[in-house]
Amino acid sequence: MLQVYIKEMLELTRDKKTLIFTILLPTLIMPVILGGFFTLSLKIAKKANEEVLDFAIIGSQNYAQVESELLREPEGDEDPLNFNLITLEPGADVDELINTNKIRFALVIPDGASQAMENGETLEIDFKYNDSATTSGLMFKRVNDALEDLKTIELVKRYAKLGLTEEQGEALGKPLKLVQKSTANERESFGEKFGAFLPYILILVGLSGAMYPAIDLGVGEKDRGTLETLLLTPVSRFSLVLAKFLVIFTTSFLAIFLSLLSFAIMTLMFGPYFSSMMGPESSANATSVLQALTNISVVDILLMFSMLVPIAAIFASLLLSVSIYARTFKEAQNYMSPIMFLVFLPLILALLPGVKLDWVWASVPITNVALAIKEIFKGTIDMGMLAVIFLSTTIIAGVLLALCNWWFQREQVLFRN
């Protein structure tokens, strides 16, 4: 059996497709793609924040403070607002100018705006823009944030008229304020928000790492005409199945290990770089995330791997069974789509809000492992439940391996063509 295992592993190392999907994809390509996507997103957001926005004001004379506030010079280390006022010609079609990108937005200040502010009324200023633009939401936020100081000034004036200090005025508008005080630490908070995505990625990587070797070791033997020769060797069929199973299990688990290792390295090496590219608030959040990740111990990582061992075994047994049953390489590939759907569904369940690890969800295959890894990531795993999940998943993998062995014993399955 060992010789068959070594032979199959050597053949796989000569297959470029297998090397790409089991080593290159999880180790380099996926982290590079995700890192590049994250970097590009940050650059696009930064460019949108620094873009000079051409705008127009209709009825500026009704409340000139708005124009003054948007065009004011930055003070100290304050970033420039980057607004450029465009003077409109009489009778200009504002909607057409916005839709043709001649101006990015327009503010319409109604008549009597100054009087309304003096009377303590709410002044409604129309913000006209094209919401089909990709950065339209960010553009509104930039304008709204730029007018925050003006809002504060007007509020202080109103408080003074009532004989109130700024603090008393704020208390007048907010007689009751609910303050959030979470008892969760940074690791638990981060794990609850993003911990479900880690098993989602790792399990799918394990599936892709097992898929192509399984096709090659099953139906690939039929296509190459080497299955008959292999069956004539003085090796029991169970040993042949076990050797092929171990090869697929190795490639699946290797893909998971390399993927997790590469993500860890990228996080440690490039995490501070991504943090420096963000704004002050986002950078602080990114720093807290990095600190939360440093609290994950070696034991936690080993527990995550222990959960993924039976998952890799399930994939190896199931995919090898399908590959043995298929007549041709193309037929085996057709069977992979429903299998991927069956894996996607429980993973999506683990991502749904309100789905937490309990004894009900612990009985759902794949979902239970995804939820368990999330709890390990948070540092709140119940070791008793973890042992039950590991045992139940291992039993499922053993049953599927027995089914694969029974499948391989039947001549009508091996030689369906």
Side-chain angles (χ1 to χ4, degrees), residues 21-22 25 199-215 248 251-253 255-256 308 311-312 314-316 318-319 336-344 347 366:
F21 280 94
T22 58
L25 181 66
Y200 182 86
I201 294 173
L202 293 179
I203 290 175
L204 290 182
V205 167
L207 178 62
S208 66
M211 188 176 299
Y212 289 94
I215 294 176
I248 301 170
T251 57
S252 176
F253 194 75
I256 294 173
L308 294 169
I311 287 293
I314 288 176
F315 290 157
L318 180 61
L319 295 176
M336 296 303 158
S337 296
I339 291 176
M340 292 190 69
F341 176 77
L342 291 176
V343 174
F344 270 119
L347 286 177
I366 299 181

Side-chain angles (χ1 to χ4, degrees), residues 94-167:
V94 176
D95 293 354
E96 180 66 21
L97 292 174
I98 294 175
N99 291 333
T100 56
N101 215 29
K102 298 292 180 58
I103 58 175
R104 298 301 303 278
F105 66 92
L107 299 176
V108 182
I109 303 176
D111 295 334
S114 297
Q115 187 62 39
M117 294 298 289
E118 290 292 332
N119 295 337
E121 301 174 5
T122 299
L123 174 60
E124 294 185 358
I125 299 176
D126 292 338
F127 180 84
K128 305 191 73 172
Y129 71 111
N130 187 340
D131 67 352
S132 64
T134 54
T135 58
S136 59
L138 185 58
M139 182 169 57
F140 177 81
K141 184 178 183 301
R142 283 181 58 182
V143 177
N144 194 52
D145 291 345
L147 295 177
E148 280 299 322
D149 289 344
L150 180 59
K151 297 176 186 177
T152 302
I153 292 172
E154 293 295 342
L155 281 174
V156 171
K157 289 181 181 179
R158 295 184 181 186
Y159 299 154
K161 288 182 180 180
L162 296 174
L164 302 175
T165 64
E166 184 175 351
E167 291 76 13

Side-chain angles (χ1 to χ4, degrees), residues 224-353:
R224 292 190 297 268
T226 57
L227 181 60
E228 294 84 352
T229 305
L230 188 63
L231 293 174
L232 291 174
T233 58
V235 181
S236 67
R237 292 198 177 184
F238 174 73
S239 297
L240 292 176
V241 171
L242 188 58
K244 291 178 178 292
F245 162 79
L246 289 175
V247 171
I248 301 170
F249 171 81
T250 301
T251 57
S252 176
F253 194 75
L254 183 63
I256 294 173
F257 172 77
L258 292 176
S259 178
L260 187 59
L261 180 63
S262 61
F263 276 115
I265 293 174
M266 284 198 65
T267 301
L268 293 175
M269 292 181 61
F270 299 103
Y273 166 72
F274 290 139
S275 177
S276 63
M277 294 179 63
M278 302 178 182
E281 183 177 350
S282 300
S283 180
N285 293 334
T287 302
S288 64
V289 168
L290 292 175
Q291 291 176 349
L293 291 176
T294 58
N295 293 328
I296 299 176
S297 65
V298 176
V299 175
D300 295 326
I301 296 175
L302 292 177
L303 287 175
M304 292 182 195
F305 277 128
S306 69
M307 287 289 97
L308 294 169
V309 168
I311 287 293
I314 288 176
F315 290 157
S317 303
L318 180 61
L319 295 176
L320 182 58
S321 299
V322 171
S323 183
I324 291 172
Y325 178 78
R327 291 188 180 92
T328 63
F329 194 94
K330 184 177 180 180
E331 182 181 343
Q333 286 182 317
N334 292 334
Y335 292 145
M336 296 303 158
S337 296
I339 291 176
M340 292 190 69
F341 176 77
L342 291 176
V343 174
F344 270 119
L345 186 59
L347 286 177
I348 292 174
L349 289 176
L351 292 172
L352 294 177

Side-chain angles (χ1 to χ4, degrees), residues 182-202:
S182 175
T183 58
N185 55 38
E186 291 180 347
R187 176 178 171 181
E188 292 176 2
S189 179
F190 174 72
E192 179 62 32
K193 295 180 179 68
F194 303 102
F197 291 98
L198 179 63
Y200 182 86
I201 294 173
L202 293 179

